[in-house]
Amino acid sequence: MTALKTVLFDLDGTLIDSIRLIIDSYHHTLEVHGLPPRSDQEWLDGIGTPLRVQFAEWAHDEVQMEALIATYRDYNIHHHDSRVTVYPGVVEMVHAVRAAGCRTGIVTSKNRVGAYRGLRLAGLEEAMDVVVGADDVVNPKPHREPVDRAVAHLGADPASTVYVGDSIHDMHSGRSAGVRTAAVLWGPFGRPALEAADPDHWLEHPHELVTLLTA
């Protein structure tokens, strides 16, 4: 098997624990706009896809879509720094990956502004060679385009690249792009939710990624 030289990461649910805030931001948005509520699980099922995908059911035109997104982002940004944390061992893991000689990047369904805010909170902004957000692509995850874009930007070989994520959308995107996939189990999804995507690797703890690279 080809040695790994490039590691791409999802952000929410993989490097930073922002899931409760994301779900609460969705709940807040529907409430503000007088729309029927959804369950936590319904929102969770769509995590890993962009806001436009999540709000498609209620946005009947572009004006309404922009209003929903604005409400979501206002709430999310206001509470972001006080409610988002970094998963234990993640910062050390990223630095160890880079120390092993690998290039690193973020492939997220957040827009770039939100992605950089999360990276700054984690102290990892300078540790990423590329950031691909939802506003950088036409076809978001689970389409292959976001991963393809990151690979192309780095001039990486898909065969020596792994995409590390927590959702089935991450796994499908990476698989379609021809890179290896690694499913993390410290995020919001357990093994049963991810098995259908047949990840190449399972990671129960961040340090296991470093072990994978140096094995």
Side-chain angles (χ1 to χ4, degrees), residues 67-134:
L68 292 168
I69 291 174
T71 301
Y72 174 98
R73 286 182 175 158
D74 182 68
Y75 182 92
N76 189 275
I77 290 171
H78 180 75
H79 294 281
H80 184 277
D81 291 357
S82 64
R83 294 188 55 187
V84 173
T85 59
V86 185
Y87 287 111
V90 157
V91 172
E92 296 83 356
M93 174 263 287
V94 171
H95 289 310
V97 167
R98 291 181 65 82
C102 291
R103 290 170 295 179
T104 51
I106 293 291
V107 178
T108 176
S109 289
K110 269 185 170 172
N111 65 1
R112 290 176 63 83
V113 171
Y116 277 111
R117 184 163 191 148
L119 288 171
R120 283 193 294 271
L121 181 74
L124 292 173
E125 183 178 7
E126 300 302 319
M128 297 299 161
D129 299 311
V130 64
V131 174
V132 175

Side-chain angles (χ1 to χ4, degrees), residues 163-199:
Y163 184 35
V164 182
D166 67 293
S167 79
I168 198 164
H169 310 297
D170 300 327
M171 299 300 101
H172 286 317
S173 183
R175 177 75 71 190
S176 296
V179 305
R180 284 155 65 181
T181 54
V184 308
L185 297 176
W186 58 80
F189 301 103
R191 188 180 289 259
L194 300 171
E195 283 180 329
D198 192 25

